[in-house]
């Protein structure tokens, strides 16, 4: 195994571990459903896509959710929350990668973060309506929300939650990028294959 490949794997493992720890420090937002909790575990995945590319970002998202499931379990018996979190993270980081990779500037990152926030908010609203909320109710054996009740829950709960989460992640990512810009550029250069 060559040195660059080993360094990439170590960096992915470190970022995945940091993301797992950050996922443990979650909190609900007032006036929104209590099971929707903010955490900052997407930040290491954002660093991974900026330094190593999209596969590394997705690997960090996968690693953190698998580790979280093993450490915390799932109230449904099936990792529905972890699958939803993985999809949320991928919807957030992929637009960042495509836009930042093209521009590699503060504006490029800001544009990517805005696109990622919109992608995450809309994508998770649709997926919660069609897939994740029905899965939760099925596995938890509770009455399912349907029709207008479900649509109202998505519009007043899931959509604002993901927009707020995206804005918070955007602020933190921009602050980190400002302080870590040289390190990110150095890693991109050293680990380019």
């Amino acid at each position: 195994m060559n040195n660059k490949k080993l360094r990439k794997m170590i960096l992915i493992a470190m970022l995945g571990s940091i993301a797992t720890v950050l996922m443990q420090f979650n909190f609900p937002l007032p006036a929104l459903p209590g099971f929707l909790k903010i955490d900052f575990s997407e930040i290491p995945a954002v660093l991974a896509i900026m330094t190593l590319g999209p596969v590394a970002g997705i690997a960090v998202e996968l690693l953190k959710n698998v580790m979280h499931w093993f450490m915390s379990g799932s109230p449904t018996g099936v990792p529905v929350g972890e699958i939803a979190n993985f999809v949320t993270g991928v919807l957030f980081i992929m637009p960042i990668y495509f836009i930042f990779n093209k521009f590699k500037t503060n504006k490029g990152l800001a544009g990517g973060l805005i696109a990622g926030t919109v992608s995450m908010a809309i994508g998770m609203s649709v997926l919660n309506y069609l897939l994740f909320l029905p899965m939760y109710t099925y596995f938890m054996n509770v009455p399912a929300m349907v029709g207008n009740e479900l649509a109202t829950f998505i519009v007043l709960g899931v959509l604002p939650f993901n927009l707020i989460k995206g804005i918070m992640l955007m602020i933190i990512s921009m602050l980190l990028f400002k302080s870590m810009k040289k390190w990110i550029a150095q890693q991109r250069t050293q680990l380019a294959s």
Side-chain angles (χ1 to χ4, degrees), residues 69 73-83 135-136 138-140:
W69 183 43
S74 172
T76 62
V78 177
V80 178
E82 285 78 10
I83 294 169
M135 283 174 67
Y136 265 117
Y138 175 79
F139 288 117
M140 296 290 284

Side-chain angles (χ1 to χ4, degrees), residues 44-122:
V46 171
L47 288 173
I49 62 160
M50 288 193 292
T51 56
L52 299 169
V55 174
I58 293 169
V60 168
E61 288 290 338
L62 181 64
L63 184 60
K64 95 170 164 182
N65 281 291
V66 169
M67 289 173 61
H68 183 266
W69 183 43
F70 282 125
M71 289 175 14
S72 303
S74 172
T76 62
V78 177
V80 178
E82 285 78 10
I83 294 169
N85 187 282
F86 173 76
V87 173
T88 300
V90 171
L91 286 170
F92 182 68
I93 65 172
M94 291 312 291
I96 298 168
Y97 170 74
F98 290 116
I99 295 171
F100 178 75
N101 197 44
K102 184 170 181 153
F103 298 105
K104 295 182 183 79
T105 63
N106 288 342
K107 288 183 181 178
L109 179 59
L113 287 162
I114 291 167
T117 297
V118 171
S119 168
M120 175 177 66
I122 293 171

Side-chain angles (χ1 to χ4, degrees), residues 35 76 80 128-146 149-150 153:
F35 71 90
T76 62
V80 178
N128 269 296
Y129 184 84
L130 297 174
L131 183 65
F132 293 123
L133 287 174
M135 283 174 67
Y136 265 117
T137 57
Y138 175 79
F139 288 117
M140 296 290 284
N141 199 23
V142 295
M145 289 185 279
V146 292
E149 180 187 14
L150 182 56
F153 182 80

Side-chain angles (χ1 to χ4, degrees), residues 27-43:
F27 56 93
L29 293 173
L32 291 175
F35 71 90
L36 295 172
K37 295 184 179 176
I38 296 279
D39 67 67
F40 300 111
S41 63
E42 268 71 47
I43 299 297

